[in-house]
Amino acid sequence: MRAFALLAFAAVGAGEAQASIRLDQLSACADLAATMRELERPSIGCRAPGTVVDVALAKRLARATGLSTCFLVRPPTASLSRFICVTFRTSAGGHMDCMAPADAADVEEYQRNYRSVHAARATAYIKAANRCAVGNGDASRAQWSLMSPFLNYVAQFELGFVLPLGQGLVGSSAALHGFAGLDPQITGSEGDMIEFFSIYLPPRKG
Amino acid sequence: MPATRPVLALLLVGALAAPAWSQTEYDDSSGPGSQGWTVTADPYLDFVRTINGELRGQNAPLFIDAVEFEITRSDRPDDSLERKEALLDQWVSYITDYIELEGFEEMDPERVPEATRVSMEQMREKLRQSIPYGNRNHFGRLGEAMPILIDEYPSDCAGGDGAYAAFIMSMRPAAATRSEYGEVMVMFLGLGDCGPVNPRAKRTLARIKRELTEDFGGGSE
């Protein structure tokens, strides 16, 4: 049953086979801006959690935090088409987390061959993210502590990138893109990986 | 340490099978009494407020207070992880001894399993499971030492049916860090006649926490 559930999760986010992990979300500048607008003025409706990962996330959050979730009926932009996205109502502002299945072998290959093959790609990705007008020009590799506190209930950070959003020295809003290992208690198997995209916006003033 | 309701519920089930934390001989050259330590206290205000609010909502006859000490030292970069863990255990013992001076006694471990039927290992695993999955490798390194102290006859509780408790836990430092030696958390409970209806009980535990914080969490020695 769990294997079928995992396949369902994979089917939702199925895309082209990739030779390596994609480095794209933070450099999709127009879509980043559109996602921010959606968070500020939500227009996409909610659906019930459907995949095994959705259900686990909703259950664990409700049990631990009492937080209610909105699993979007569709991702807010084309660049997020392979993701399942969920938004949260918090006093800390807008927050959206998106998850897509990822190939653990691709993540492992990226990490293993980082210095010889992927370091230049990562640098180029960061440069491209810095060209987005919504960012503050200070994109960088992310540390585990920046991962969404909500996604932490189902996955453990492996690697990622962050783009602070806004102008100047920004501390309260950011977009994150990365990869994390799923809790094997959810899928019934070790080593399952997700790609995540998260965006945090501060509360609107006034 | 991010604490959740399951953690508190687990602690409130009662004392669990904790081995008696025998007196540790302190290493005078580098142990808790030596120079060079930086101890930073976090009074856990939001956590305490939230939990006490939930307890009030349930009309539970207890309240909590808590403090966490982050322990660092930067003048011994060659200390191994094992050495750091040993020193952290000394800090747990040091803080335990301090609280015992307030009239608390470490709970006899033989009394515990009969009441709870939960082993130390089971408790440790439940606590670890209560931490969000993504944080476990970073925050889930629970230390072996979990002393539980009780003051069964506090003078504050006139009815005679109340007690104070103190639970002490530690979080091991992560590997490959230079100055981190881990954290020690102390949670105080006022129960029954020493519970939320007793303002003297609240003042007493607040004083013990304040003095503990001042004496331990004052920064660099």
Side-chain angles (χ1 to χ4, degrees):
Chain A
M1 180 65 72
R2 283 183 172 177
F4 283 122
L6 185 60
L7 283 173
F9 178 60
V12 172
E16 297 177 4
Q18 295 294 315
S20 183
I21 60 172
R22 294 187 191 194
L23 301 179
D24 56 2
Q25 293 301 318
L26 299 185
S27 55
C29 299
D31 281 358
L32 261 183
T35 299
M36 290 172 67
R37 287 194 295 273
E38 172 62 29
L39 263 184
E40 289 168 350
R41 288 183 178 79
S43 64
I44 301 173
C46 308
R47 58 167 176 83
T51 71
V52 64
V53 180
D54 289 358
V55 170
L57 179 62
K59 273 188 180 172
R60 292 180 182 191
L61 281 176
R63 191 166 61 225
T65 68
L67 201 61
S68 61
T69 55
C70 170
F71 288 88
L72 301 182
V73 295
R74 59 172 173 80
T77 62
S79 63
L80 290 171
S81 60
R82 62 183 184 272
F83 291 83
I84 294 168
C85 294
V86 53
T87 59
F88 305 91
R89 287 188 286 275
T90 78
S91 58
H95 185 125
M96 182 178 77
D97 288 325
C98 301
M99 299 176 284
D103 191 329
D106 289 344
V107 176
E108 191 272 336
E109 185 275 334
Y110 176 91
Q111 292 170 314
R112 189 176 67 247
N113 296 320
Y114 176 77
R115 184 171 292 202
S116 58
V117 176
H118 298 294
R121 284 182 66 213
T123 300
Y125 182 38
I126 290 171
K127 273 189 178 174
N130 280 335
R131 288 194 283 271
C132 292
V134 295
N136 76 342
D138 195 24
S140 64
R141 290 161 184 78
Q143 294 297 315
W144 64 268
S145 54
L146 292 178
M147 180 146 158
S148 162
F150 307 134
L151 286 185
N152 268 325
Y153 279 94
V154 295
Q156 192 166 92
F157 180 90
E158 278 290 330
L159 65 98
F161 300 85
V162 60
L163 173 65
L165 301 170
Q167 302 300 314
L169 187 64
V170 180
S172 57
S173 57
L176 261 79
H177 175 219
F179 295 82
L182 272 176
D183 184 352
Q185 287 188 353
I186 296 173
T187 62
S189 61
E190 298 277 346
D192 292 316
M193 196 74 67
I194 60 166
E195 181 180 5
F196 67 84
F197 170 79
S198 299
I199 189 163
Y200 321 131
L201 297 180
R204 298 182 71 189
K205 293 179 183 173
Chain B
M1 174 181 93
T4 64
R5 273 181 280 177
V7 174
L8 178 65
L10 185 68
L11 292 173
L12 294 178
V13 166
L16 303 171
W21 191 242
S22 55
Q23 178 73 35
T24 301
E25 288 190 11
Y26 301 126
D27 178 346
D28 289 338
S29 64
S30 61
S34 68
Q35 298 284 325
W37 293 100
T38 298
V39 181
T40 306
D42 180 349
Y44 268 18
L45 294 176
D46 286 343
F47 168 72
V48 169
R49 191 180 305 121
T50 300
I51 297 299
N52 283 333
E54 291 181 7
L55 290 171
R56 274 196 304 274
Q58 297 167 23
N59 289 320
L62 71 148
F63 71 95
I64 71 157
D65 209 340
V67 60
E68 179 193 80
F69 299 103
E70 181 185 20
I71 300 169
T72 60
R73 182 167 188 153
S74 56
D75 62 343
R76 297 174 63 92
D78 296 329
D79 272 353
S80 65
L81 186 61
E82 291 71 26
R83 177 65 179 151
K84 288 184 176 182
E85 291 176 353
L87 287 169
L88 181 66
D89 287 343
Q90 289 190 24
W91 273 101
V92 170
S93 194
Y94 206 55
I95 291 171
T96 300
D97 291 347
Y98 184 100
I99 295 173
E100 284 180 333
L101 293 174
E102 291 285 346
F104 289 76
E105 288 186 14
E106 189 171 349
M107 191 156 187
D108 183 348
E110 291 182 4
R111 292 173 54 188
V112 170
E114 186 180 332
T116 65
R117 299 178 196 161
V118 181
S119 70
M120 186 65 180
E121 284 309 309
Q122 288 171 323
M123 178 186 75
R124 190 174 289 111
E125 182 56 26
K126 282 180 184 287
L127 285 172
R128 186 174 174 279
Q129 289 286 333
S130 72
I131 297 169
Y133 174 74
N135 289 337
R136 283 181 202 158
N137 281 351
H138 306 291
F139 298 126
R141 294 168 49 80
L142 288 171
E144 289 291 321
M146 290 190 185
I148 300 163
L149 299 100
I150 302 286
D151 181 356
E152 291 186 277
Y153 308 105
S155 58
D156 294 327
C157 311
D161 187 23
Y164 293 138
F167 296 86
I168 304 174
M169 291 180 291
S170 61
M171 287 294 186
R172 306 286 198 196
T177 58
R178 286 180 63 83
S179 59
E180 296 173 10
Y181 284 72
E183 292 95 36
V184 178
M185 286 77 63
V186 183
M187 181 182 292
F188 296 100
L189 276 74
L191 303 143
D193 288 336
C194 295
V197 297
N198 187 333
R200 283 184 64 186
K202 289 185 179 179
R203 286 195 296 270
T204 293
L205 290 186
R207 176 189 61 75
I208 296 173
K209 172 183 167 177
R210 183 179 65 250
E211 291 177 357
L212 185 67
T213 302
E214 288 170 357
D215 286 350
F216 283 88
S220 184
E221 294 287 342

